Each structure stands twice: as structure tokens, then as C-alpha cells.
Amino acid sequence: MPENTEKIEEKVENIALEDKAVQIPENVSNEDGKKKKKKKNKKKSKKLDISEQTEPPTIPVSRFYSKFPEGKLMDYGEDNLWRTTNEEKRQLDRIMNDNLNDLRKAAEVHRQARYYAHKFIKPGLKMVEICENIENSVRSLLEAKDNDYTSGLAFPCGCSLNNCAAHYTPNAGDDTVLQYDDVCKIDFGTQINGHIIDSAFTVHFNPTYDNLIKAVKESTYTGIKEAGIDVRLTDVGEAIQEVMESYEVEINGKTYPVKPIRNLCGHNLDQYKIHSTKSVPIVKNGDNTKMEEGEHFAIEVFGSTGKGYVNDDLECSHYIRNNNHVSLRSAKAKSLLNTINKNFNTMAFCRRYLDRLGETKYIMALNNLVENGLVEACPPLCDIHGSYTAQFEHTIVLRPSCKEIIRLLVYYEKA
């Protein structure tokens, strides 16, 4: 044993000596004696904890995550439950999952802006203050830049009040103030590389409207639960309608049934296209079109104490670029169209956004673009005066093995 030990020690010593003999100084090349450049170790920036976010949020979401978290996952119904364990679908799901980071980043921006909105919105604030606070939060969280439509707001922040259900945001000079008795729909979207998060919620302060808000919220989650691959759109609408119409609300001693607003609906989302080819009804409408694997949907539900039907009303603030191509004579209209193309592409915008970019005296040019079919005007949509409306909305993705409510995480599920 001692002899073997001595031999092993001798071999180790010889190897060590050989290594020492051929050792090359760190800063000298073994070929021509030139100094090597020392490699600098790049320090990875430490990710912040979500609790370190400011109010209003100003720290970009990229400082918190590199890979953004999944939303809330839900299994499909009994007919499609096999997808959960099917290996082929699971593999397709893994592939799709890798491509959802932009969408989840947009969702994180929406979550943080919404979380802040819930804290600061209160009676006495001007509606323009509310919208601009939310919009500026989104811009900060995304580090969005002017003349770059690849990330930012997918459409203007809506703050429709009472009987107005959608598409209202203040124009310049509108000093409307939020009141204690108002029912306000906050609807805004975020996007990265055209991947859109479309989500909305309703703010109210008077408990009189609790049942209206509860009816619409529960109907929205029913729609999400019913949605799935190969599900007919009319079946989703029927389920939403059944829940909605089971509620009523008492206002000033009079009882009103809560009605779905039958000419408003959810929709599927495509890249840089907020309303694509499919509409998700909130009533039974006989549309047997089916939802398909891989599609993105905004499950959007509106309820009303009025007629349950909306019409164009009030001054228009929302606009969206069409894909039409028309020769324009007006130099001002051409210039305005160039601004719209550079900053919004096919994303919706409002007059305040044009003001912010320095456009002036543009109303005639904007109307010219509308008349020529290059831009579509989207005026406020209102039920009868004296009625109250509420809205909730979430974006979902129909993944091969499950559906994901992209915008939901546990600590933001307040609404």
C-alpha cells in the first residue's frame, strides 16, 4: 500500500510540474507574445421586485421581468378535456407558449396601469386627468416613443359615463368631472409589435349600482368559462345573456332588469387589428361560427338598465385608420395622414393624441380623411338618457391544451 501511494503522489507531482512548465501568463499570447484582451464580465442588471414600482408607475416592466408570467390558466370543457393530456397538443402548446412573451408583456403593463387606476380614481377628478394618468403610465411602463407604433397604447383610454357605454374620451376643452353617482367604464388597450391586450372594468362609488356591476362581471366570467375551441359563438352569447338577465337593480325606488346591450359584442384580435373577423355576441344570435385553436379573443360584456341597445351620440373623439388607398388633394390631409401612419398605423387614436403630437387646426383635414374612407370615425355609443351601463372585458388565448386569461394574475383580480 505505501509503495502504491508513493507512486501516485510522484505521478501527480510530475503532472503538476508539466502544467507549470507550459503555463502561459494571462496577458500573453502563446503565439507571438502579444497581450490578450481581458474579457470583461458583463454584469446582468438585477431584476427589481414588483413591490418597488412607483405610484404612478414609472419604472419600465422590463426592469421586473425578462420572461413575463403566464396569466390565469383554465381547462376546456368536458368535450375538449382530452387536450389537457394529449401529447401532440401539449407539444403544440409549448411551441405557442414561447411566442406569447410580447402579449404577456403588454398584459403586465395593463395590469400595473390598471392597479394604479383603481387606487387613484375618485370623485372630483376631471375625466381628462384620469385618461392621461393611465395613458402616461402605459407609455412609461413600455418606454413608448412618438413616431413608433410598434409598442404603446392599442387605443385611447375610454371613460364612458352612465348611459354612454363606449368610445368616449375627452376632447380638448372638455372639463367633465367624475361624480359620486357616476358609473364609469375604463377601457384601454396595450400592444407590443401589434399583439394586443384589450381589457376594461367599471368604476362606481354609490352602492346603489352594485348589482349592475355584479351582473356584468359575473356574465363576463361566464363568457370566459364557456369560450373554447370548437365552441359556437351563439352558445357563448346565450350563456352570457342567461346570467345577465337573472339580475335586477333598484334605483331611486324603481326596479330595473339588467339587460345585455345586444348590439355590442366581444371580438377576436389579430396583429395590429383590434376588431378582426369574428364577433362574440352577448346574446343568443344564431351565429354558428366556431372559435378555433390559437385564436385570441376579447370577451367583452356590456349591461344596461335602459333599452339594451346603443346609438351614436355626443362629439366624436375616437378614430381608426382603414386599409383603403385614396389619392388626396388636400396638402393638410396628406400631412395628417402621414402623422397617423407613423404614430398609430392601424391602431385607434383620438384627438388628444393629435394635439399631443403638435397637430393644430386639423379638424377639416381629419373630416376629409373620414369622408374619403381612409379613417373611420367611432363616435360614443349611448343607451337612452337616464339609464346606466357597465362593462367588463378580458383578453384570452385559446392555446392547444388550455385557455389563458392573459391579463389576470392573482394579486390583480380585484376586478
Side-chain angles (χ1 to χ4, degrees), residues 26-303:
E26 284 184 6
N27 62 339
V28 178
S29 165
N30 60 350
E31 289 179 3
D32 52 10
K34 289 181 181 177
K35 287 187 177 181
K36 277 187 177 180
K37 289 182 181 178
K38 288 186 178 179
K39 289 183 180 179
K40 292 182 181 179
N41 292 326
K42 290 183 180 178
K43 289 184 179 179
K44 291 183 179 179
S45 58
K46 185 182 176 184
K47 294 299 176 186
L48 301 177
D49 185 82
I50 195 73
S51 63
E52 297 179 69
Q53 183 57 275
T54 59
E55 285 189 10
T58 56
I59 304 172
V61 291
S62 57
R63 294 287 305 279
F64 300 99
Y65 302 98
S66 49
K67 186 174 182 181
F68 288 83
E70 288 183 326
K72 186 173 182 178
L73 303 181
M74 297 177 70
D75 290 334
Y76 292 116
E78 289 183 9
D79 292 344
N80 265 327
L81 204 56
W82 61 273
R83 290 175 168 273
T84 308
T85 55
N86 181 272
E87 190 52 44
E88 181 185 348
K89 295 301 178 186
R90 284 163 65 87
Q91 177 59 25
L92 288 171
D93 195 75
R94 284 189 284 269
I95 294 168
M96 185 178 188
N97 194 38
D98 291 339
N99 297 323
L100 290 175
N101 202 51
D102 277 353
L103 195 65
R104 290 180 183 139
K105 181 178 179 180
E108 181 61 25
V109 170
H110 201 290
R111 276 193 289 270
Q112 292 193 26
R114 174 182 175 132
Y115 188 63
Y116 168 60
H118 272 294
K119 289 187 172 185
F120 87 84
I121 295 176
K122 59 185 178 182
L125 287 174
K126 289 183 179 180
M127 304 313 297
V128 69
E129 290 179 80
I130 292 171
C131 291
E132 289 185 348
N133 274 341
I134 292 171
E135 290 165 350
N136 288 334
S137 295
V138 170
R139 292 185 183 109
S140 295
L141 289 164
L142 274 176
E143 301 174 274
K145 298 181 178 70
D146 293 338
N147 296 321
D148 181 5
Y149 58 77
T150 57
S151 70
L153 289 143
F155 53 87
C157 179
C159 57
S160 305
L161 294 171
N162 305 324
N163 69 305
C164 183
H167 294 176
Y168 164 74
T169 197
N171 287 325
D174 184 340
D175 291 326
T176 303
V177 174
L178 183 65
Q179 305 295 327
Y180 173 78
D181 284 320
D182 284 336
V183 178
C184 177
K185 281 70 62 183
I186 300 295
D187 186 1
F188 67 100
T190 56
Q191 62 89 13
I192 296 172
N193 295 318
H195 302 292
I196 301 168
I197 292 293
D198 186 359
S199 187
F201 61 99
T202 298
V203 174
H204 75 298
F205 309 97
N206 189 335
T208 297
Y209 309 111
D210 284 354
N211 252 21
L212 170 63
I213 274 63
K214 186 178 179 183
V216 180
K217 186 186 289 188
E218 291 301 317
S219 301
T220 305
Y221 283 108
T222 297
I224 291 169
K225 185 180 176 183
E226 290 296 317
I229 296 166
D230 295 331
V231 173
R232 298 185 306 170
L233 295 172
T234 188
D235 293 339
V236 178
E238 183 178 8
I240 290 170
Q241 182 177 11
E242 184 178 351
V243 172
M244 180 96 67
E245 291 178 348
S246 69
Y247 284 85
E248 54 188 27
V249 55
E250 186 179 323
I251 303 172
N252 297 326
K254 186 175 179 180
T255 300
Y256 298 87
V258 181
K259 301 174 183 176
I261 300 178
R262 60 186 180 276
N263 62 331
L264 292 179
C265 56
H267 46 93
N268 67 328
L269 303 149
D270 277 336
Q271 194 171 14
Y272 290 113
K273 196 169 186 181
I274 187 72
H275 285 239
S276 193
T277 54
K278 294 180 181 178
S279 296
V280 184
I282 57 176
V283 294
K284 182 180 180 180
N285 71 345
D287 186 352
N288 290 320
T289 305
K290 291 183 178 181
M291 294 177 156
E292 297 175 67
E293 182 180 303
E295 288 185 316
H296 299 194
F297 283 94
I299 304 299
E300 184 172 18
V301 176
F302 295 86

